[in-house]
C-alpha cells in the first residue's frame, strides 16, 4: 500500500473529510496535513514561526514520524506551491506529484487576484471585497488588508477576514457555491484563512520571485512523475502559472480543463485528479 500526502490550499484553508475522495483507501494510506494555524492545528490563525520553509520542515517531520520511505504528494492552489517546495527540498522522498491550480506566488499572480484582474470578471463580488478598505488605501489592497487582519481590534480583524474570505469563495468555481459563501461567514475559519493567506502574500511566500520555476529548482524534480490539472477559467490561480511551469518542466503532464474554474471539487477537475491518483497507486 502506498502513502499519500495531501497539502491543503490557502494557505490557511485546512483539510476535511471530503479531501480524501480522490484516493482509493484500498490502495493508499492518506495523510491530510493542516498547516500551522489552520484546520485542527493550534493555536488557530497563529502567524508565529509560520513560513513556507517551516511547513516544508513540518511535512518532512510527519514523514519521518510515520516511518514513510517515499510518498505521492498532492496539492492544489497553495497546496501546489507547498508540494513543489517540498519536492524541490526533498526530491528523494517523492514518488510522484499531483498538482492542481498552479500557484507560485509571483507578484503578477497576486496582483491579478488581489488588485486588478479578477476584479474585471467579478465586479459585484469585488465591490464587497473593497468595502472595508478606505478609498485612499485601495491602491495596495494586500497591505491594507494585512494591517486590518493583524489589528488589535477583534471587530476590525473579523470584518476584514470575512470580506477577504468571501472574495475567494465567490470566485473559485464557475458556478458560485452557496456553501462556500456560508463558510466565509464563520468567524474562526475566516480569520485563520484570511490572516494566514495575507501573512504569506505580503511576504511573497518567503521566497525569491519565481523561485519555484528556477532551472536549478526544476532540475531537482525532473525525474518525478508529475501530473498538473488546471482549470481554463481559474481566476484565482490563472492558467498562466501552469503554462509557465510546463515550459520549464516539459516532463510534467499538463491538462487544461476546458470547463472548470479553480476548485478541485468541480466535476471535470475532480475526475482527472482521481484518475491521476489511480495511475500512481502501484508506484
Amino acid at each position: 500500500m502506498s502513502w499519500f500526502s495531501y497539502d491543503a490550499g490557502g494557505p490557511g484553508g485546512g483539510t476535511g473529510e471530503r479531501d480524501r475522495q480522490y484516493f482509493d483507501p484500498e490502495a493508499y494510506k492518506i495523510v491530510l496535513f493542516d498547516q500551522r494555524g489552520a484546520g485542527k492545528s493550534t493555536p488557530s490563525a497563529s502567524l508565529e514561526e509560520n513560513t513556507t520553509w517551516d511547513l516544508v520542515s513540518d511535512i518532512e517531520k510527519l514523514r519521518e514520524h510515520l516511518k514513510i520511505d517515499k510518498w505521492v504528494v498532492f496539492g492544489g492552489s497553495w497546496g501546489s506551491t507547498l508540494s513543489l517546495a517540498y519536492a524541490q527540498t526533498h526530491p528523494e522522498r517523492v514518488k510522484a506529484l499531483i498538482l492542481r491550480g498552479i500557484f507560485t506566488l509571483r507578484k503578477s499572480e497576486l496582483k491579478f487576484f488581489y488588485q486588478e484582474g479578477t476584479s474585471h470578471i467579478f465586479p459585484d463580488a469585488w465591490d464587497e471585497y473593497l468595502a472595508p478598505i478606505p478609498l485612499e488605501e485601495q491602491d495596495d489592497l494586500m497591505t491594507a488588508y494585512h494591517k486590518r487582519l493583524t489589528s488589535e481590534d477583534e471587530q476590525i480583524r473579523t470584518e476584514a477576514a470575512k470580506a477577504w474570505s468571501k472574495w475567494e469563495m465567490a470566485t473559485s468555481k464557475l458556478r458560485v457555491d452557496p456553501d462556500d459563501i456560508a463558510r466565509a461567514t464563520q468567524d474562526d475559519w475566516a480569520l485563520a484563512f484570511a490572516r494566514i493567506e495575507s501573512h504569506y502574500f505580503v511576504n511573497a511566500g518567503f521566497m525569491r520571485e519565481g523561485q519555484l520555476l528556477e532551472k536549478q529548482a526544476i532540475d531537482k524534480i525532473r525525474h518525478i512523475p508529475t501530473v498538473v490539472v488546471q482549470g481554463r477559467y481559474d481566476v484565482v490561480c490563472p492558467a498562466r502559472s501552469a503554462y509557465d511551469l510546463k515550459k520549464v518542466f516539459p516532463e510534467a503532464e499538463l491538462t487544461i480543463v476546458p470547463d472548470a474554474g479553480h476548485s478541485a471539487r468541480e466535476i471535470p477537475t475532480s475526475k482527472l485528479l482521481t484518475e491521476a491518483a489511480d495511475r500512481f497507486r502501484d508506484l
Side-chain angles (χ1 to χ4, degrees):
M1 182 172 283
S2 294
W3 285 86
F4 219 111
S5 171
Y6 181 97
D7 297 332
T15 62
E17 291 182 359
R18 287 197 300 173
D19 295 320
R20 300 196 300 253
Q21 67 185 339
Y22 313 104
F23 320 119
D24 182 352
E26 298 298 320
Y28 287 111
K29 293 182 179 179
I30 306 154
V31 180
L32 300 180
F33 170 62
D34 283 345
Q35 75 166 74
R36 299 181 184 206
K40 294 179 181 179
S41 293
T42 57
S44 180
S46 174
L47 307 181
E48 186 178 352
E49 296 182 352
N50 196 337
T51 74
T52 301
W53 309 110
D54 289 317
L55 305 188
V56 166
S57 176
D58 289 346
I59 296 170
E60 182 62 3
K61 288 174 184 174
L62 275 175
R63 185 196 63 76
E64 292 173 346
H65 175 72
L66 294 169
K67 297 179 171 58
I68 301 167
D69 182 34
K70 293 185 177 182
W71 49 5
V72 179
V73 177
F74 178 111
S77 190
W78 160 254
S80 76
T81 317
L82 190 54
S83 296
L84 284 167
Y86 175 79
Q88 291 171 2
T89 305
H90 301 284
E92 72 284 358
R93 298 304 180 185
V94 180
K95 287 184 177 181
L97 285 166
I98 301 175
L99 308 175
R100 187 266 314 163
I102 298 299
F103 181 37
T104 67
L105 272 88
R106 292 175 295 177
K107 293 176 183 176
S108 61
E109 298 170 57
L110 293 167
K111 181 180 179 181
F112 184 88
F113 189 62
Y114 289 108
Q115 192 65 43
E116 185 174 18
T118 305
S119 57
H120 293 275
I121 305 168
F122 288 89
D124 45 351
W126 182 253
D127 275 352
E128 294 186 47
Y129 175 67
L130 289 179
I133 308 301
L135 183 62
E136 61 270 19
E137 295 183 57
Q138 290 181 9
D139 61 339
D140 187 353
L141 288 163
M142 285 199 301
T143 297
Y145 262 99
H146 184 259
K147 181 172 76 174
R148 287 158 178 80
L149 289 165
T150 55
S151 169
E152 295 296 323
D153 188 312
E154 181 179 359
Q155 183 175 344
I156 290 173
R157 290 198 308 271
T158 302
E159 179 189 21
K162 288 180 176 180
W164 175 287
S165 301
K166 186 177 181 182
W167 167 240
E168 186 160 337
M169 296 302 103
T171 54
S172 288
K173 295 179 179 177
L174 283 178
R175 297 181 183 276
V176 178
D177 188 335
D179 290 342
D180 290 341
I181 300 297
R183 184 164 55 156
T185 68
Q186 299 169 8
D187 291 5
D188 290 346
W189 184 88
L191 192 61
F193 185 72
R195 268 173 59 88
I196 295 172
E197 279 200 332
S198 174
H199 167 68
Y200 273 74
F201 298 165
V202 299
N203 287 291
F206 305 93
M207 295 183 287
R208 296 184 300 277
E209 174 77 0
Q211 178 174 335
L212 297 176
L213 300 176
E214 292 172 354
K215 183 180 183 300
Q216 64 267 29
I218 296 297
D219 283 346
K220 296 176 182 177
I221 62 171
R222 290 191 191 280
H223 65 287
I224 299 174
T226 300
V227 170
V228 179
V229 178
Q230 174 70 44
R232 170 65 74 185
Y233 298 106
D234 186 340
V235 297
V236 181
C237 297
R240 163 58 65 186
S241 297
Y243 187 70
D244 288 347
L245 176 63
K246 174 65 175 176
K247 286 198 295 185
V248 298
F249 187 11
E251 297 86 354
E253 175 187 319
L254 169 63
T255 299
I256 296 183
V257 187
D259 51 350
H262 179 65
S263 175
R265 296 194 175 100
E266 292 176 293
I267 292 172
T269 299
S270 180
K271 180 175 182 291
L272 287 168
L273 294 172
T274 303
E275 289 174 355
D278 285 345
R279 191 194 315 177
F280 295 139
R281 60 191 294 160
D282 296 321
L283 278 181

